[in-house]
Amino acid sequence: FAMQFTGGGAGEPDDDGVWITTWDLDFIEGTGVYRSFVDGHNFMVDRLTFLENGDVDEYCLCYVSGP
């Protein structure tokens, strides 16, 4: 499957210094079992933490809805 960003990206740090950013993506292509996702939507929450040693810890939560 393929998705395209359609909005979001304005993040800000929370009280612990963790950057939380939201993104909107649309499903634009899907084959096989993912074909039914085409024209669906993904609301993604990205959580980014800058560690003291200079590394980055990041994970995303995706809320997917069908067409």
Side-chain angles (χ1 to χ4, degrees):
F1 62 87
M3 290 185 281
Q4 182 176 37
F5 286 97
T6 58
E12 59 184 55
D14 65 9
D15 293 338
D16 295 324
V18 176
W19 280 84
I20 299 178
T21 307
T22 60
W23 298 93
D24 289 296
L25 301 96
D26 287 339
F27 284 88
I28 58 173
E29 184 180 324
T31 60
V33 297
Y34 299 104
R35 190 171 318 197
S36 65
F37 286 91
V38 174
D39 294 327
H41 186 76
N42 178 6
F43 176 75
M44 181 173 69
V45 179
D46 181 36
R47 182 180 163 103
L48 182 67
T49 305
F50 295 94
L51 305 176
E52 289 182 17
N53 66 3
D55 288 342
V56 176
D57 182 33
E58 180 178 26
Y59 68 90
C60 300
L61 300 171
C62 294
Y63 300 91
V64 175
S65 59

